[in-house]
Amino acid sequence: MDSADEMDILTLESSPENDAALRTKAEKVQKIGPEYKKITQEMFQLLRDGKGIGLAGPQVGRNERIFVTEVDKDQPRVFINPTIVGTSEETGKYEEGCMSLPGVFADVTRPLEIRVQAWNEKGRPFTLDAEGLLARVIQHENDHLEGILFIDRLSEPKRASILRKYHKKRHN
Ligand code: NI
């Protein structure tokens, strides 16, 4: 997608193309040019408009390894080409939702603490140790870059039941 185009959030089952975009492993950003300032600004705008805390490239039709988070107001964070380099052994359950699956919420088990390496929109590398909600949202968004949705982390019966209800609601 050209950054001049209007960005929009893709939701599951809105079209076969959107589903494919959400289910594709995203590609590495080759060069973090000045256009990434505008791209991330647009992503933050969609995030705030939708009252979300994290949004990944594939969710806005960008097949590249980028996501933004804003867990605490006034603490926007950009992650380009991120790698989760460490996770705690201790895991915990917490209810997650996703802007690409409106109305769906479920408890997901994940490591409680992580270490992530990435680049920001200015092309500066950083390493971040995160815990709590920030650690969770980073893992959720990082999954999007692999074409993984949070419902994929649930047991198969739970996932099937959620998808059945989601499908029914969408098509009624
Ligand atoms: Ni999501």
Side-chain angles (χ1 to χ4, degrees):
M1 179 196 273
D2 192 289
S3 64
D5 292 339
E6 194 73 8
M7 236 184 226
D8 216 347
I9 296 176
L10 315 184
T11 53
L12 197 69
E13 291 193 353
S14 46
S15 78
E17 294 76 23
N18 289 0
D19 284 6
L22 289 169
R23 290 311 202 167
T24 302
K25 185 176 154 97
E27 284 172 20
K28 215 175 156 187
V29 175
Q30 292 304 323
K31 185 176 182 292
I32 304 170
E35 68 274 23
Y36 280 88
K37 194 165 164 40
K38 185 168 183 288
I39 292 165
T40 53
Q41 273 171 359
E42 287 180 19
M43 289 175 78
F44 279 120
Q45 195 56 53
L46 287 172
L47 187 63
R48 287 163 190 154
D49 289 349
K51 296 183 169 34
I53 56 172
L55 185 64
Q59 293 181 275
V60 294
R62 298 194 70 92
N63 179 32
E64 50 183 15
R65 304 187 79 78
I66 178 171
F67 61 79
V68 300
T69 68
E70 193 172 50
V71 171
D72 298 308
K73 285 285 156 244
D74 308 320
Q75 197 150 60
R77 297 178 190 272
V78 174
F79 300 79
I80 298 174
N81 296 337
T83 309
I84 294 175
V85 293
T87 54
S88 62
E89 272 178 40
E90 204 188 339
T91 60
K93 250 188 205 175
Y94 194 81
E95 187 178 73
E96 296 188 20
C98 180
M99 297 176 95
S100 293
L101 283 157
V104 175
F105 300 93
D107 282 344
V108 182
T109 302
R110 298 190 192 267
L112 291 176
E113 294 170 30
I114 60 149
R115 173 171 292 172
V116 60
Q117 289 176 348
W119 283 259
N120 70 12
E121 74 283 11
K122 293 167 190 151
R124 289 198 197 113
F126 64 92
T127 301
L128 176 72
D129 288 323
E131 56 176 24
L133 192 52
L134 181 59
R136 182 162 291 271
V137 70
I138 289 168
Q139 293 174 82
H140 175 119
E141 300 313 323
N142 198 63
D143 274 353
H144 276 300
L145 307 184
E146 299 298 318
I148 297 168
L149 302 174
F150 79 95
I151 52 170
D152 303 334
R153 300 245 175 232
L154 308 174
S155 70
E156 192 45 46
K158 179 83 183 158
R159 180 178 180 273
S161 148
I162 280 178
L163 277 175
R164 218 166 25 241
K165 278 184 215 148
Y166 179 77
H167 184 81
K168 213 172 142 189
K169 212 165 89 185
R170 280 203 79 91
H171 296 276
N172 269 350

